[in-house]
Amino acid sequence: MKFKYLVVDDEPLARKLIATHASKIEGLELVCECASAIEASNVLRSKPVDLIFLDIQMPEIDGLKFISTLKNPPSIIVTTAFRDFGPEAFDLDVIDYLLKPISFERLLKAANKFFERKTAASSKVLESVEEPAFIYLRADRKMHKIATSDILYIESLDEYVKVYLRNRMLITREGISILETKLPAEQFVRIHRSFLIAAKAISTIASDGVEVGGKILPFGRAYKQSALAALKVKI
């Protein structure tokens, strides 16, 4: 994967030097060079950009003011001849602050900081993905860890309950009402005193019942209206 970047500087030689340094770094791809913040703003409206190498002292609008105009700014590496703006720049969450003349080694160090931040952000996204919901079900004298996404429907019989999964069936003595309290209410619907079904597993709905896993399960008179409301269906 390559991250796309802009070089924004009113000095042509400075732009050329940064672009030359950055071209040696695997993972970066130049979108274009911009001579002003206004030109960069126009590019950002039309093209995806992950990183900006940004000068501070430029005509019309300086680099730091430009950052503050962006609602969702890309990552920023400041490139400037002035030391005095460091604290203000870092308050704007820039990746790094490079003083001109910029060596390849110094720009590479800044680029690596950018890569590290991107990697950390990707890791947080992966960590935020929730593990599939599970319930524990007692059957065959063991506790089975069951992903709720694997449950098609639950059928209550006289003395036991059958839990139909995608690839098997378990028999438990836990009551259907107990299991109903363990399962996400937005994903499972009680259609009958004897049937609790996974809404996603439904293939068809008719006036007398639903089809789940190739089997027609009937609506109970006391459950039909609430089930249809939960399923957001009018029959």
Side-chain angles (χ1 to χ4, degrees):
M1 178 181 179
K2 290 196 173 184
F3 294 102
K4 300 182 183 299
Y5 71 93
L6 295 180
V7 180
V8 185
D9 197 307
D10 61 325
E11 298 178 10
L13 290 178
R15 295 198 303 271
K16 189 67 176 176
L17 178 63
I18 292 169
T20 299
H21 285 339
S23 69
K24 302 173 185 177
I25 301 174
E26 184 69 27
L28 293 180
E29 180 180 325
L30 177 64
V31 175
C32 68
E33 299 176 19
C34 301
S36 69
I38 292 175
E39 187 178 338
S41 181
N42 292 332
V43 173
L44 290 174
R45 283 196 292 270
S46 60
K47 297 180 180 179
V49 174
D50 303 295
L51 173 66
I52 301 178
F53 292 96
L54 181 65
D55 188 23
I56 292 180
Q57 296 282 37
M58 292 185 292
E60 296 179 303
I61 179 170
D62 69 47
L64 298 184
K65 289 180 181 177
F66 172 57
I67 296 172
S68 66
T69 68
L70 301 175
K71 185 175 182 180
N72 295 300
S75 298
I76 307 289
I77 294 175
V78 169
T79 59
T80 180
F82 301 91
R83 296 178 178 274
D84 300 341
F85 299 102
E88 186 178 352
F90 283 110
D91 282 345
L92 294 170
D93 197 31
V94 302
I95 298 283
D96 209 339
Y97 191 94
L98 308 187
L99 290 173
K100 299 176 181 177
I102 300 167
S103 68
F104 171 71
E105 290 76 16
R106 186 64 184 88
L107 189 137
L108 176 60
K109 182 178 180 180
N112 284 335
K113 289 182 181 180
F114 164 73
F115 291 138
E116 289 169 5
R117 183 178 288 194
K118 284 293 186 181
T119 300
S122 297
S123 297
K124 286 182 179 179
V125 169
L126 290 174
E127 289 170 3
S128 68
V129 176
E130 294 183 1
E131 182 184 6
F134 292 92
I135 63 169
Y136 284 93
L137 184 68
R138 183 179 295 279
D140 305 322
R141 299 182 180 179
K142 292 179 289 187
M143 294 298 289
H144 298 260
K145 186 179 181 182
I146 306 296
T148 57
S149 58
D150 285 341
I151 300 173
L152 299 178
Y153 67 95
I154 296 170
E155 180 180 11
S156 176
L157 300 172
D158 291 337
E159 297 181 358
Y160 54 90
V161 166
K162 291 183 177 180
V163 180
Y164 292 85
L165 308 174
R166 296 187 185 278
N167 56 2
R168 56 178 171 151
M169 185 267 290
L170 293 174
I171 296 176
T172 180
R173 290 189 178 275
E174 293 189 57
I176 191 171
S177 296
I178 298 293
L179 294 177
E180 186 176 8
T181 63
K182 293 182 178 182
L183 293 168
E186 67 277 8
Q187 298 176 28
F188 289 84
V189 180
R190 190 78 174 267
I191 65 166
H192 189 283
R193 65 185 300 272
S194 298
F195 292 106
L196 176 65
I197 62 170
K200 286 185 177 181
I202 297 172
S203 54
T204 63
I205 302 176
S207 60
D208 57 345
V210 301
E211 183 179 356
V212 178
K215 184 173 181 179
I216 302 297
L217 306 178
F219 285 120
R221 182 180 300 176
Y223 293 87
K224 182 176 180 178
Q225 293 306 316
S226 60
L228 291 174
L231 295 170
K232 299 179 180 179
V233 173
K234 292 183 179 180
I235 300 294

